[in-house]
Amino acid sequence: MNMYIHELKAGKRSTIIWTVTLLAILILYMSFYTMIKNDADAFVKIMEGVSPVIRQALGIAINQITSPLGYYSFVFSFILFLGALQGMNTGVNIISKEVRDKTADFLLTKPKTRVSIITAKLLAGLTCILITGVIYIIMSAIAMSLFTGETYNMTALILISTTLLITELIFYTLGFLTAVIFPKIKSVISVSLPVVFAFYFAGLMASITGDELYRDLSIFKYFNPMYIILNSSYETKYLMLSVAIIIVGFALSYVIYSKKDVHAV
Amino acid sequence: MNIFKREMRANLKSLIVWSLSMVMLIGAGMGKFSSTSGASAEMTELISSLPNSLKAMFGFGNFDLSKAIGFYAILYLYIIVMGAIHAAMLGAGIISKEERDKTTEFLIVKPIKRHTIITNKMLAAFVNVIILNVITFSVSYKMVSMFTLDASLFGQIGMMMFGLFMIQLIFLTIGAAFAAINRNSKKAPVLATSTILIAYFLNMAVQLSGNLSFLKYFTPFQYFTADSILNEGTISIGYVVLSIIIMVGMLTVTYSRYEKRDLMV
């Protein structure tokens, strides 16, 4: 319990900063909605001269992306990137800091099992991410009503916003596992940023090319907002895949951490 | 000179990893290009008349996606973000690592002036940045010219790489300045990468909203856009001057602060 509280205190500042950042991006980008909607409406009017086939194709695309949920999904893709970074950072940091700050021998000589140490750390990080996730979900609903003023499918919104939490958890697991495997991580951000960026780029390629392989690789594309808007549910395959990654990741972390050599000063 | 050599060797591994990632990014991106993927002429024309905010949302900007260079232009933003991350972490790390690894004392008691140390370190970082740039240049040119061989291609990619180079130097000096200012060696890489994220999100905000265009001076990603290089065919001298002012300013901060600051041993 002491360890859990200690880790929560240590993570308080960064959790606050991350939550505020996510909300700031949400509010800044959502505030453009009315303007973009007007741009789009004006453009759809101009389009009347062109051939019906093209007008229809582009018209549907524009309507989709400038509907309240469509625009929110666009904004959400940036939020997801930051969230993934928070998750990865939290996971890498919570494990690697003991060795980096030379406090590993202090902690590991306490009459505590490795399992209880890693459990306390795991839960503390999880708590931080849950707090961010829940605040974000509530704020996303408020921001939607505030900036769009139109009716939308509330269930779909909540489902989309919840994928932030799931994505954060996946990256938290990855970060946790990374820090357990690599004995000495000198700088957290220089590990987490390139990893998250790589996944983000794979996601970009997935959406440009529509390639299934890219999609399985890119965690960012596991939950397609358009699918959620249409079906008000997640794709089962990717929900299972996410849960599997999280469970396997934590199980591996437990096994490795209980046995590994930890270098004292 | 010894410091320069030492830093070159110390950064060799990370330079190789970054270069490989850059090659992979360009390779994976351009590998997906096929000239048939572009829309019909009428569609292209219509798309080019879309309001800027919608273009930004659809993600294809002002480019002709049926041409290899248009496809490459979409990748360009990710290339400069990668270049910026590499440069910022290099700049921050090369100065702050002595304090992080507790080697400051060893270095600073050598009969070398502090500004000589900085000069050598910055030179090594500079060479690293140039190498990454040259590799990016050659791979980009190779990949794009595989699809189209146009006389203007070398000039276009050359200008984009000049833009990349400016961005790299801006973030290299920003990273170094953060490291020179901060007594806490852990903060420099975090602050440097946060600057990149802020610049990236500002860049998107500028593209989305018409009335925030004054903010473009605050995000280097707006200084040398593929849009202005390909569609206007020039690099704005004003932004080059602004970039140089930022670099000189940051270098001045780096030298003057590191010269006077109490170093953590």
Side-chain angles (χ1 to χ4, degrees), chain A residues 25 28-29 32 35-36 39-40 43 47 50-51 54 57-58 61-62 65-66 71 74 78 81-82 85 100-101 186-187 189-190 193-194 197 200-201 204-205 208-209 211 214, chain B residues 18 25 28-29 32 40 42-43 46 49-51 53-54 56-58 71 74-75 78 81-82 85 89 100-101 186 189-190 193 197 200-202 204-205 208-212:
Chain A
I25 296 287
L28 174 68
Y29 282 12
F32 301 145
M35 196 200 68
I36 285 171
D39 276 1
F43 182 75
M47 252 191 350
V50 297
S51 79
I54 288 182
L58 194 58
I62 290 177
I65 206 165
T66 58
Y71 183 68
F74 168 74
F78 297 100
F81 175 82
L82 285 177
L85 201 53
R100 192 174 46 250
D101 298 347
K186 284 178 180 169
S187 165
I189 193 83
S190 59
L193 189 59
F197 188 77
Y200 190 72
F201 183 74
L204 185 84
M205 294 320 294
I208 291 182
T209 63
D211 198 319
Y214 272 118
Chain B
W18 276 99
L25 185 140
K32 284 290 162 191
S40 69
E42 196 183 5
M43 193 71 157
L46 196 60
S49 64
L50 272 172
S53 54
L54 290 183
M57 285 179 68
F58 281 124
F71 199 81
I74 294 179
L75 282 184
Y78 297 88
V81 171
M82 276 262 287
I85 297 175
M89 297 215 283
R100 186 189 65 204
D101 299 344
K186 272 179 275 173
V190 176
T193 40
L197 287 179
Y200 180 77
F201 281 100
L202 266 186
M204 201 65 213
L208 281 180
S209 81
N211 47 21
L212 287 181

Coordinates of all heavy atoms in Angstrom, one line a residue, chain A residues 25 28-29 32 35-36 39-40 43 47 50-51 54 57-58 61-62 65-66 71 74 78 81-82 85 100-101 186-187 189-190 193-194 197 200-201 204-205 208-209 211 214, chain B residues 18 25 28-29 32 40 42-43 46 49-51 53-54 56-58 71 74-75 78 81-82 85 89 100-101 186 189-190 193 197 200-202 204-205 208-212:
Chain A
I25 N -6.1 20.5 -26.2 CA -6.1 20.2 -27.7 C -7.6 20.0 -28.1 O -8.0 20.5 -29.1 CB -5.3 18.9 -28.0 CG1 -3.8 19.2 -27.7 CG2 -5.5 18.5 -29.4 CD1 -3.1 20.1 -28.6
L28 N -9.4 23.4 -28.2 CA -8.8 24.3 -29.3 C -9.4 23.8 -30.6 O -9.9 24.6 -31.4 CB -7.3 24.2 -29.3 CG -6.6 25.0 -30.4 CD1 -6.9 26.5 -30.3 CD2 -5.2 24.7 -30.5
Y29 N -9.2 22.5 -30.9 CA -9.6 22.0 -32.2 C -11.1 22.0 -32.4 O -11.6 22.2 -33.5 CB -9.0 20.6 -32.4 CG -7.6 20.6 -32.8 CD1 -6.8 21.8 -32.7 CD2 -6.9 19.5 -33.3 CE1 -5.5 21.8 -33.0 CE2 -5.6 19.6 -33.7 CZ -4.8 20.7 -33.5 OH -3.5 20.8 -33.8
F32 N -13.0 25.1 -33.7 CA -13.0 25.4 -35.1 C -14.2 24.9 -35.8 O -14.4 25.1 -37.0 CB -11.7 24.9 -35.8 CG -10.4 25.4 -35.3 CD1 -9.3 24.5 -35.2 CD2 -10.3 26.6 -34.8 CE1 -8.1 25.0 -34.7 CE2 -9.1 27.1 -34.3 CZ -8.0 26.3 -34.2
M35 N -16.7 27.1 -37.9 CA -16.1 27.7 -39.1 C -15.9 26.7 -40.2 O -16.2 27.0 -41.4 CB -14.7 28.2 -38.6 CG -14.1 29.2 -39.5 SD -12.4 29.2 -39.1 CE -11.9 27.5 -39.6
I36 N -15.5 25.5 -39.8 CA -15.2 24.4 -40.8 C -16.5 24.0 -41.5 O -16.6 23.8 -42.7 CB -14.4 23.3 -40.2 CG1 -13.0 23.7 -40.0 CG2 -14.5 22.0 -41.1 CD1 -12.2 22.8 -39.3
D39 N -17.5 26.6 -44.0 CA -16.6 26.4 -45.2 C -17.2 25.3 -46.1 O -17.3 25.4 -47.3 CB -15.2 25.9 -44.8 CG -14.3 27.1 -44.5 OD1 -14.8 28.3 -44.5 OD2 -13.1 26.9 -44.1
A40 N -17.5 24.2 -45.4 CA -18.0 23.0 -46.1 C -19.3 23.2 -46.8 O -19.5 22.9 -48.0 CB -18.1 21.8 -45.2
F43 N -18.9 25.3 -49.8 CA -18.2 24.5 -50.9 C -19.2 23.6 -51.6 O -19.3 23.4 -52.8 CB -17.1 23.7 -50.4 CG -16.3 23.0 -51.4 CD1 -15.5 23.6 -52.3 CD2 -16.5 21.6 -51.6 CE1 -14.9 23.0 -53.3 CE2 -15.8 20.9 -52.6 CZ -15.0 21.6 -53.5
M47 N -20.3 23.3 -55.6 CA -20.1 22.0 -56.3 C -21.2 21.7 -57.2 O -21.1 20.8 -58.0 CB -19.9 20.9 -55.3 CG -18.5 20.4 -55.2 SD -18.3 18.9 -54.3 CE -19.8 18.5 -53.5
V50 N -20.7 20.6 -61.0 CA -19.9 19.5 -61.5 C -20.8 18.2 -61.7 O -21.9 18.2 -61.3 CB -18.7 19.2 -60.6 CG1 -17.8 20.3 -60.5 CG2 -19.2 18.8 -59.2
S51 N -20.2 17.2 -62.4 CA -21.0 16.0 -62.7 C -21.5 15.3 -61.4 O -20.8 15.3 -60.4 CB -20.1 15.1 -63.5 OG -19.2 14.4 -62.6
I54 N -19.3 12.6 -59.3 CA -18.3 13.2 -58.5 C -18.8 14.0 -57.3 O -18.4 13.9 -56.2 CB -17.3 14.0 -59.3 CG1 -16.5 13.1 -60.2 CG2 -16.4 14.9 -58.4 CD1 -15.5 13.8 -61.1
A57 N -19.9 11.6 -54.6 CA -18.8 10.9 -53.9 C -18.1 11.9 -53.0 O -18.0 11.6 -51.8 CB -17.7 10.4 -54.9
L58 N -17.7 13.1 -53.5 CA -17.1 14.1 -52.6 C -18.0 14.6 -51.6 O -17.7 14.8 -50.4 CB -16.5 15.2 -53.5 CG -15.5 16.1 -52.8 CD1 -14.3 15.3 -52.3 CD2 -15.0 17.1 -53.8
A61 N -18.3 12.3 -48.7 CA -17.1 12.4 -47.9 C -17.1 13.7 -47.0 O -16.7 13.7 -45.8 CB -15.8 12.4 -48.8
I62 N -17.5 14.8 -47.7 CA -17.5 16.1 -46.9 C -18.5 16.1 -45.8 O -18.2 16.4 -44.7 CB -17.7 17.3 -47.9 CG1 -16.5 17.5 -48.8 CG2 -18.0 18.5 -47.1 CD1 -16.7 18.5 -49.8
I65 N -17.2 13.9 -42.9 CA -16.1 14.5 -42.1 C -16.5 15.8 -41.4 O -15.9 16.2 -40.4 CB -14.9 14.7 -42.9 CG1 -13.6 14.6 -42.1 CG2 -14.9 16.0 -43.7 CD1 -12.3 14.4 -42.9
T66 N -17.6 16.4 -41.8 CA -18.0 17.7 -41.2 C -19.2 17.5 -40.3 O -19.8 18.5 -39.8 CB -18.2 18.8 -42.1 OG1 -19.2 18.4 -43.1 CG2 -16.9 19.2 -42.9
Y71 N -16.2 15.2 -37.4 CA -15.2 16.1 -37.1 C -14.5 15.7 -35.8 O -13.3 15.8 -35.6 CB -15.8 17.5 -37.0 CG -14.7 18.5 -36.7 CD1 -13.7 18.8 -37.6 CD2 -14.6 19.2 -35.4 CE1 -12.7 19.7 -37.4 CE2 -13.6 20.1 -35.2 CZ -12.6 20.4 -36.1 OH -11.6 21.2 -35.9
F74 N -11.9 13.2 -36.3 CA -10.7 13.7 -36.8 C -9.9 14.3 -35.7 O -8.7 14.0 -35.6 CB -11.1 14.8 -37.8 CG -9.9 15.7 -38.3 CD1 -9.0 15.2 -39.1 CD2 -9.8 17.0 -37.8 CE1 -7.9 15.9 -39.5 CE2 -8.8 17.8 -38.2 CZ -7.8 17.2 -39.1
F78 N -5.7 13.0 -33.1 CA -4.5 13.7 -32.5 C -4.5 13.4 -31.0 O -3.4 13.2 -30.4 CB -4.6 15.2 -32.7 CG -4.6 15.6 -34.1 CD1 -5.7 15.9 -34.8 CD2 -3.4 15.6 -34.8 CE1 -5.7 16.2 -36.2 CE2 -3.3 15.9 -36.2 CZ -4.5 16.2 -36.9
F81 N -2.9 10.2 -30.3 CA -1.5 10.2 -30.4 C -0.9 10.6 -29.0 O 0.0 10.0 -28.5 CB -1.0 11.1 -31.5 CG 0.4 11.3 -31.6 CD1 1.2 10.4 -32.2 CD2 1.1 12.4 -31.0 CE1 2.6 10.5 -32.3 CE2 2.4 12.5 -31.0 CZ 3.2 11.6 -31.7
L82 N -1.4 11.7 -28.5 CA -0.9 12.2 -27.2 C -1.2 11.2 -26.1 O -0.3 11.0 -25.2 CB -1.6 13.5 -26.9 CG -1.1 14.7 -27.7 CD1 -1.9 16.0 -27.3 CD2 0.4 15.0 -27.4
L85 N 1.2 8.5 -26.1 CA 2.5 8.9 -25.5 C 2.4 8.9 -24.0 O 3.4 8.5 -23.3 CB 2.8 10.3 -26.1 CG 4.2 10.8 -26.0 CD1 5.1 9.8 -26.7 CD2 4.3 12.1 -26.7
R100 N 17.5 4.2 -12.9 CA 18.0 5.5 -13.4 C 18.4 6.4 -12.2 O 19.4 7.0 -12.2 CB 17.0 6.2 -14.3 CG 17.6 7.4 -15.0 CD 16.7 8.0 -16.1 NE 15.3 8.2 -15.6 CZ 14.3 7.5 -16.0 NH1 14.4 6.5 -16.9 NH2 13.1 7.7 -15.5
D101 N 17.5 6.5 -11.2 CA 17.7 7.4 -10.1 C 18.5 6.7 -9.0 O 18.7 7.2 -7.9 CB 16.4 7.9 -9.5 CG 15.6 8.7 -10.5 OD1 16.2 9.0 -11.5 OD2 14.4 8.9 -10.3
K186 N 18.0 5.4 -20.1 CA 18.5 6.7 -19.6 C 17.5 7.8 -19.7 O 17.4 8.7 -18.9 CB 19.8 7.1 -20.4 CG 21.0 6.3 -20.0 CD 22.2 6.7 -20.8 CE 23.4 5.9 -20.4 NZ 24.5 6.1 -21.4
S187 N 16.7 7.8 -20.8 CA 15.7 8.9 -21.0 C 14.4 8.3 -21.5 O 14.4 7.6 -22.4 CB 16.3 9.9 -22.0 OG 15.2 10.8 -22.4
I189 N 11.6 9.7 -22.6 CA 10.9 10.2 -23.8 C 11.7 9.8 -25.1 O 11.1 9.6 -26.1 CB 10.9 11.8 -23.7 CG1 9.9 12.3 -24.8 CG2 12.2 12.4 -23.9 CD1 8.5 12.3 -24.4
S190 N 13.0 9.5 -25.0 CA 13.7 9.1 -26.2 C 13.4 7.6 -26.5 O 13.7 7.2 -27.6 CB 15.2 9.3 -26.0 OG 15.7 8.6 -24.9
L193 N 8.7 8.3 -27.4 CA 8.3 9.1 -28.6 C 8.6 8.4 -29.9 O 7.7 8.3 -30.7 CB 9.0 10.5 -28.6 CG 8.5 11.5 -29.6 CD1 7.0 11.7 -29.4 CD2 9.2 12.8 -29.5
P194 N 9.8 7.8 -30.2 CA 10.0 7.1 -31.4 C 9.0 5.9 -31.6 O 8.5 5.7 -32.7 CB 11.4 6.7 -31.4 CG 12.1 7.6 -30.5 CD 11.1 8.0 -29.4
F197 N 5.6 7.3 -32.3 CA 5.6 7.9 -33.7 C 5.6 6.8 -34.8 O 4.9 6.9 -35.8 CB 6.8 8.7 -33.8 CG 6.8 9.5 -35.1 CD1 6.0 10.7 -35.3 CD2 7.6 9.2 -36.2 CE1 6.0 11.4 -36.4 CE2 7.6 9.9 -37.4 CZ 6.8 11.0 -37.5
Y200 N 2.1 5.4 -35.0 CA 1.3 6.5 -35.6 C 1.5 6.5 -37.1 O 0.5 6.6 -37.9 CB 1.6 7.8 -35.0 CG 0.7 8.9 -35.4 CD1 -0.6 9.0 -34.8 CD2 1.0 9.9 -36.3 CE1 -1.5 10.0 -35.1 CE2 0.1 11.0 -36.6 CZ -1.1 11.0 -36.0 OH -2.0 12.0 -36.3
F201 N 2.7 6.4 -37.6 CA 3.0 6.4 -39.0 C 2.5 5.1 -39.7 O 1.9 5.2 -40.8 CB 4.5 6.5 -39.2 CG 4.9 6.6 -40.7 CD1 4.7 7.8 -41.4 CD2 5.4 5.5 -41.3 CE1 4.9 7.8 -42.7 CE2 5.7 5.6 -42.7 CZ 5.5 6.7 -43.4
L204 N -1.0 5.8 -40.3 CA -1.2 6.7 -41.4 C -1.2 5.9 -42.7 O -2.0 6.0 -43.6 CB -0.1 7.7 -41.4 CG -0.3 8.8 -42.5 CD1 -1.2 9.9 -42.0 CD2 1.1 9.4 -42.9
M205 N -0.2 5.0 -42.8 CA 0.0 4.1 -44.0 C -1.3 3.2 -44.1 O -1.7 3.0 -45.2 CB 1.2 3.3 -43.9 CG 2.5 4.0 -44.0 SD 2.5 5.4 -45.1 CE 2.4 4.6 -46.7
I208 N -4.0 5.3 -45.6 CA -3.8 5.7 -47.0 C -4.0 4.5 -47.9 O -4.6 4.6 -49.0 CB -2.4 6.3 -47.2 CG1 -2.3 7.7 -46.6 CG2 -2.1 6.5 -48.7 CD1 -0.9 8.3 -46.8
T209 N -3.5 3.4 -47.5 CA -3.5 2.2 -48.4 C -4.6 1.2 -48.2 O -4.9 0.4 -49.1 CB -2.2 1.5 -48.3 OG1 -2.1 1.0 -47.0 CG2 -1.0 2.3 -48.6
D211 N -4.4 -1.2 -46.3 CA -3.8 -2.5 -46.2 C -4.1 -3.2 -44.8 O -3.9 -2.5 -43.8 CB -2.3 -2.3 -46.3 CG -1.6 -3.6 -46.7 OD1 -1.9 -4.6 -46.1 OD2 -0.7 -3.6 -47.5
Y214 N -1.0 -3.5 -42.3 CA -0.7 -2.3 -41.6 C -1.6 -2.1 -40.5 O -1.3 -1.6 -39.4 CB -0.8 -1.1 -42.6 CG 0.5 -0.8 -43.3 CD1 0.6 -0.9 -44.7 CD2 1.7 -0.5 -42.6 CE1 1.8 -0.7 -45.4 CE2 2.8 -0.2 -43.3 CZ 2.9 -0.3 -44.7 OH 4.0 0.0 -45.4
Chain B
W18 N 18.5 6.0 -36.4 CA 17.7 7.1 -37.0 C 17.7 7.0 -38.5 O 16.6 7.2 -39.2 CB 18.1 8.4 -36.5 CG 17.5 8.7 -35.2 CD1 18.1 8.6 -34.0 CD2 16.2 9.2 -34.9 NE1 17.3 9.0 -33.0 CE2 16.1 9.4 -33.5 CE3 15.1 9.5 -35.7 CZ2 14.9 9.8 -32.9 CZ3 14.0 10.0 -35.1 CH2 13.9 10.1 -33.7
L25 N 10.8 4.8 -43.3 CA 9.6 5.7 -43.4 C 9.4 6.1 -44.9 O 8.3 6.0 -45.4 CB 9.9 7.0 -42.6 CG 8.7 8.0 -42.5 CD1 8.6 8.5 -41.0 CD2 8.9 9.2 -43.4
A28 N 8.6 2.8 -46.9 CA 7.2 2.3 -46.7 C 6.2 3.2 -47.3 O 5.2 2.8 -47.9 CB 7.0 2.1 -45.2
G29 N 6.5 4.5 -47.2 CA 5.6 5.5 -47.8 C 5.5 5.4 -49.3 O 4.5 5.2 -49.9
K32 N 4.2 2.4 -51.3 CA 2.7 2.3 -51.5 C 2.2 3.2 -52.6 O 1.0 3.1 -52.9 CB 2.0 2.7 -50.2 CG 2.2 1.6 -49.1 CD 1.3 0.4 -49.5 CE 1.8 -0.8 -48.7 NZ 1.2 -2.0 -49.3
S40 N -9.5 11.1 -60.8 CA -9.7 11.6 -62.2 C -9.4 13.1 -62.2 O -9.3 13.7 -61.2 CB -11.1 11.3 -62.7 OG -12.0 12.2 -61.9
E42 N -11.1 15.6 -63.3 CA -12.1 16.5 -62.8 C -12.1 16.5 -61.2 O -12.3 17.5 -60.6 CB -13.5 16.0 -63.3 CG -14.6 17.0 -63.1 CD -15.9 16.5 -63.6 OE1 -16.0 15.3 -63.9 OE2 -16.9 17.3 -63.6
M43 N -12.0 15.3 -60.7 CA -11.9 15.2 -59.2 C -10.7 16.0 -58.7 O -10.9 16.7 -57.7 CB -11.7 13.7 -58.9 CG -11.9 13.4 -57.4 SD -13.7 13.5 -57.0 CE -13.7 12.5 -55.5
L46 N -11.5 19.6 -58.7 CA -12.4 19.9 -57.7 C -11.8 20.0 -56.3 O -12.0 20.9 -55.5 CB -13.6 18.9 -57.7 CG -14.9 19.2 -57.0 CD1 -15.4 20.5 -57.6 CD2 -15.8 18.1 -57.0
S49 N -10.0 23.0 -55.4 CA -10.7 24.2 -55.0 C -11.4 24.0 -53.7 O -12.1 24.9 -53.2 CB -11.8 24.4 -56.1 OG -12.7 23.4 -56.1
L50 N -11.1 23.0 -53.0 CA -11.6 22.8 -51.6 C -11.1 23.9 -50.7 O -9.9 24.3 -50.9 CB -11.2 21.5 -51.0 CG -12.0 20.2 -51.2 CD1 -11.2 19.0 -50.7 CD2 -13.3 20.3 -50.5
P51 N -11.9 24.3 -49.7 CA -11.3 25.2 -48.7 C -10.1 24.6 -48.0 O -10.1 23.4 -47.8 CB -12.4 25.5 -47.7 CG -13.7 24.9 -48.3 CD -13.2 24.0 -49.4
S53 N -9.2 24.4 -44.9 CA -9.5 23.6 -43.7 C -9.9 22.2 -44.1 O -9.4 21.2 -43.5 CB -10.6 24.2 -42.9 OG -11.7 24.4 -43.8
L54 N -10.7 22.0 -45.2 CA -11.1 20.7 -45.6 C -10.0 19.9 -46.2 O -9.8 18.7 -45.9 CB -12.3 20.7 -46.6 CG -13.6 21.2 -46.0 CD1 -14.7 21.2 -47.1 CD2 -14.0 20.3 -44.8
A56 N -6.9 20.1 -45.3 CA -6.1 19.7 -44.2 C -6.7 18.5 -43.5 O -6.0 17.5 -43.1 CB -5.9 20.8 -43.2
M57 N -8.1 18.5 -43.5 CA -8.7 17.3 -42.8 C -8.7 16.1 -43.6 O -8.5 15.0 -43.1 CB -10.2 17.7 -42.5 CG -10.4 18.6 -41.4 SD -12.1 19.0 -41.1 CE -12.7 17.4 -40.6
F58 N -8.8 16.2 -44.9 CA -8.7 15.0 -45.8 C -7.3 14.5 -45.8 O -7.0 13.4 -46.2 CB -9.2 15.3 -47.2 CG -10.7 15.3 -47.3 CD1 -11.4 16.4 -47.8 CD2 -11.4 14.2 -46.9 CE1 -12.8 16.4 -47.9 CE2 -12.8 14.1 -47.0 CZ -13.5 15.2 -47.5
F71 N 2.7 12.6 -53.9 CA 2.6 11.6 -52.8 C 3.7 11.8 -51.8 O 3.5 11.8 -50.6 CB 2.7 10.2 -53.4 CG 2.2 9.1 -52.6 CD1 0.8 8.8 -52.6 CD2 3.0 8.3 -51.9 CE1 0.3 7.8 -51.8 CE2 2.5 7.3 -51.1 CZ 1.2 7.0 -51.0
I74 N 3.1 14.5 -49.1 CA 2.4 14.2 -47.9 C 3.3 13.6 -46.8 O 3.2 13.8 -45.7 CB 1.2 13.2 -48.2 CG1 0.2 13.9 -49.1 CG2 0.5 12.7 -47.0 CD1 -0.9 13.0 -49.6
L75 N 4.3 12.8 -47.3 CA 5.2 12.2 -46.4 C 6.1 13.3 -45.8 O 6.6 13.1 -44.7 CB 6.1 11.2 -47.2 CG 5.6 9.8 -47.5 CD1 6.8 9.1 -48.1 CD2 5.2 9.1 -46.2
Y78 N 5.9 14.3 -42.2 CA 6.4 13.3 -41.2 C 7.9 13.2 -41.2 O 8.6 12.9 -40.2 CB 5.8 11.9 -41.5 CG 4.3 12.0 -41.3 CD1 3.4 12.4 -42.4 CD2 3.7 11.8 -40.1 CE1 2.1 12.6 -42.2 CE2 2.4 12.0 -39.9 CZ 1.5 12.3 -40.9 OH 0.2 12.5 -40.7
V81 N 9.1 16.1 -39.2 CA 8.9 15.8 -37.7 C 9.9 14.8 -37.2 O 10.5 15.0 -36.1 CB 7.4 15.3 -37.5 CG1 7.3 14.8 -36.1 CG2 6.4 16.3 -37.8
M82 N 10.2 13.8 -38.0 CA 11.3 12.8 -37.6 C 12.6 13.6 -37.4 O 13.3 13.4 -36.4 CB 11.4 11.8 -38.7 CG 10.5 10.6 -38.6 SD 11.2 9.2 -37.8 CE 12.4 8.6 -39.0
I85 N 12.6 15.6 -34.3 CA 12.8 14.8 -33.0 C 14.2 14.4 -32.9 O 14.8 14.5 -31.8 CB 11.8 13.5 -33.1 CG1 10.4 13.9 -33.1 CG2 12.1 12.7 -31.8 CD1 9.4 12.8 -33.3
M89 N 16.5 15.8 -29.7 CA 17.0 14.9 -28.7 C 18.5 14.9 -28.7 O 19.2 14.8 -27.7 CB 16.4 13.5 -28.9 CG 14.9 13.6 -28.7 SD 14.2 12.2 -27.9 CE 14.2 11.0 -29.2
R100 N 23.8 13.9 -16.5 CA 22.9 12.7 -16.2 C 23.8 11.5 -15.9 O 23.5 10.8 -15.0 CB 22.1 12.4 -17.5 CG 21.1 11.3 -17.4 CD 20.5 11.0 -18.7 NE 21.5 10.4 -19.6 CZ 21.4 10.4 -20.9 NH1 20.5 11.0 -21.5 NH2 22.4 9.8 -21.6
D101 N 24.9 11.4 -16.6 CA 25.7 10.2 -16.4 C 26.8 10.5 -15.3 O 27.7 9.6 -15.2 CB 26.4 9.7 -17.7 CG 25.3 9.3 -18.7 OD1 24.2 9.1 -18.3 OD2 25.7 9.2 -19.9
K186 N 17.4 15.9 -16.5 CA 16.3 15.0 -17.1 C 15.3 15.9 -17.8 O 14.6 15.4 -18.6 CB 15.6 14.3 -16.0 CG 16.3 12.9 -15.7 CD 15.5 12.2 -14.5 CE 16.0 12.7 -13.2 NZ 15.3 12.2 -12.1
P189 N 15.5 16.9 -22.5 CA 14.9 16.2 -23.6 C 13.3 16.3 -23.5 O 12.7 16.4 -24.6 CB 15.3 14.7 -23.4 CG 16.3 14.7 -22.3 CD 16.3 16.0 -21.6
V190 N 12.8 16.3 -22.3 CA 11.3 16.4 -22.2 C 10.8 17.8 -22.8 O 9.9 17.9 -23.6 CB 10.9 16.3 -20.7 CG1 9.4 16.5 -20.6 CG2 11.3 14.9 -20.2
T193 N 11.3 17.9 -26.6 CA 10.2 17.2 -27.4 C 8.9 17.8 -27.2 O 8.1 17.8 -28.1 CB 10.2 15.7 -27.0 OG1 10.3 15.6 -25.6 CG2 11.3 14.9 -27.7
L197 N 6.1 18.9 -30.1 CA 4.6 18.6 -30.1 C 3.8 19.8 -30.2 O 2.8 19.9 -30.9 CB 4.3 17.8 -28.8 CG 4.8 16.3 -28.8 CD1 4.4 15.7 -27.5 CD2 4.2 15.5 -29.9
Y200 N 3.9 21.0 -33.6 CA 3.1 20.2 -34.5 C 1.6 20.5 -34.4 O 0.9 20.6 -35.4 CB 3.4 18.7 -34.2 CG 2.6 17.7 -35.0 CD1 3.0 17.5 -36.3 CD2 1.5 17.1 -34.6 CE1 2.3 16.6 -37.1 CE2 0.7 16.2 -35.4 CZ 1.2 16.0 -36.6 OH 0.5 15.2 -37.4
F201 N 1.1 20.6 -33.1 CA -0.3 20.9 -33.0 C -0.7 22.3 -33.4 O -1.8 22.5 -33.9 CB -0.7 20.6 -31.5 CG -0.9 19.2 -31.2 CD1 0.1 18.4 -30.6 CD2 -2.0 18.5 -31.7 CE1 0.0 17.1 -30.4 CE2 -2.2 17.1 -31.5 CZ -1.2 16.4 -30.9
L202 N 0.2 23.3 -33.2 CA 0.0 24.6 -33.8 C -0.1 24.6 -35.3 O -1.0 25.2 -35.9 CB 1.1 25.5 -33.4 CG 0.9 26.3 -32.1 CD1 2.1 27.3 -32.0 CD2 -0.4 27.1 -32.2
M204 N -1.1 22.2 -37.1 CA -2.4 21.7 -37.5 C -3.5 22.7 -37.3 O -4.4 22.9 -38.1 CB -2.7 20.4 -36.7 CG -3.8 19.5 -37.3 SD -3.2 18.8 -38.9 CE -4.7 18.8 -39.8
A205 N -3.4 23.4 -36.2 CA -4.4 24.5 -35.9 C -4.4 25.6 -37.0 O -5.5 26.1 -37.4 CB -4.2 25.1 -34.5
L208 N -6.1 24.3 -40.0 CA -7.6 24.1 -39.9 C -8.3 25.4 -39.9 O -9.4 25.5 -40.4 CB -7.9 23.3 -38.6 CG -7.7 21.9 -38.6 CD1 -8.0 21.3 -37.2 CD2 -8.6 21.2 -39.6
S209 N -7.8 26.4 -39.2 CA -8.5 27.6 -39.1 C -7.9 28.7 -39.9 O -6.7 28.9 -39.9 CB -8.5 28.0 -37.6 OG -7.3 28.7 -37.3
G210 N -8.7 29.5 -40.6 CA -8.2 30.5 -41.4 C -7.7 31.7 -40.6 O -6.8 32.4 -40.9
N211 N -8.4 32.0 -39.4 CA -8.1 33.2 -38.7 C -7.0 33.1 -37.7 O -6.8 34.1 -36.9 CB -9.4 33.8 -38.1 CG -10.2 32.8 -37.4 OD1 -9.6 31.7 -37.0 ND2 -11.4 33.0 -37.1
L212 N -6.3 32.0 -37.7 CA -5.1 31.9 -36.7 C -3.8 32.0 -37.5 O -2.8 31.6 -37.0 CB -5.2 30.6 -35.9 CG -6.3 30.5 -34.9 CD1 -6.2 29.1 -34.2 CD2 -6.1 31.6 -33.8

